[in-house]
Amino acid sequence: MSHILTAYFSATGTTKEVAKKVAEVSGSDLFEIEPEVKYTSADLNWMDQKSRSSLEAKDNSSRPAIASKDENMDQYDTVIIGFPIWWYRAPQIILTFLESYDFTNKKIFLFATSGSSQMGNTAKILKKSAPKADFVSHKRFPASVSKETLKNWLESSGL
């Protein structure tokens, strides 16, 4: 039997709600990727070029600290990772997450939440942080995505 984890980062709660649906339809455990320092609404102001999220997005070496690790990562052979799209890619904390574990031979599915922004080169960028993982599929969903749509995506991707 496959052991599956759905790990997600959600600054505003949108991705968290989609992650709960993903965990339900996949029968996976759920883990929140929480920043050591929570994001405030000012931090998330994409119109402010000096906001925390804007500065992190501009700095490819930025690796925001994570509050805690999943001590059971070794038990999972499949990890579904969810996050919002910031500046057409994953927030830098997702790179921190990927670089915090050994994903060798693990299957990774990526999902992003966004009302309209596409994923751009997100998967390509994230693969560099876990080069020995098998990145199976990636897809963007709106906050209102149905469980049926998520289940269809995972099943059609081989989960």
Side-chain angles (χ1 to χ4, degrees):
M1 181 173 188
S2 177
H3 294 284
I4 305 168
L5 175 69
T6 296
Y8 68 93
F9 165 69
S10 186
T12 64
T14 301
T15 304
K16 178 178 185 174
E17 293 307 312
V18 175
K20 287 180 184 177
K21 294 177 192 177
V22 169
E24 185 177 326
V25 301
S26 65
S28 63
D29 295 336
L30 195 60
F31 176 76
E32 183 174 3
I33 302 166
E34 295 182 85
E36 202 169 81
V37 177
K38 301 272 189 227
Y39 289 86
T40 66
S41 57
D43 290 337
L44 299 173
N45 183 357
W46 61 272
M47 295 181 64
D48 178 0
Q49 293 297 310
K50 293 185 180 182
S51 73
R52 177 177 165 198
S53 59
S54 296
L55 294 173
E56 288 174 0
K58 291 177 192 173
D59 181 2
N60 289 331
S61 66
S62 174
R63 297 295 184 272
I66 295 175
S68 65
K69 289 182 73 169
D70 184 323
E71 299 302 327
N72 300 313
M73 187 61 75
D74 290 345
Q75 77 180 9
Y76 301 107
D77 51 29
T78 300
V79 182
I80 304 166
I81 304 172
F83 47 85
I85 289 293
W86 290 359
W87 294 268
Y88 302 99
R89 63 186 203 190
Q92 294 297 100
I93 196 166
I94 300 302
L95 297 172
T96 306
F97 176 77
L98 287 169
E99 293 167 5
S100 296
Y101 303 95
D102 179 4
F103 285 96
T104 301
N105 299 323
K106 293 184 189 292
K107 292 181 182 178
I108 295 180
F109 293 76
L110 304 172
F111 74 89
T113 55
S114 172
S116 61
S117 295
Q118 297 302 312
M119 291 181 76
N121 290 324
T122 298
K124 183 178 177 182
I125 292 166
L126 295 180
K127 285 179 185 181
K128 292 177 186 175
S129 291
K132 294 182 180 177
D134 178 14
F135 282 77
V136 178
S137 181
H138 61 275
K139 190 152 175 92
R140 179 197 62 83
F141 297 102
S144 61
V145 64
S146 69
K147 289 180 190 176
E148 182 179 344
T149 297
L150 293 167
K151 183 176 181 180
N152 289 341
W153 165 61
L154 291 168
E155 287 178 352
S156 68
S157 299
L159 185 67

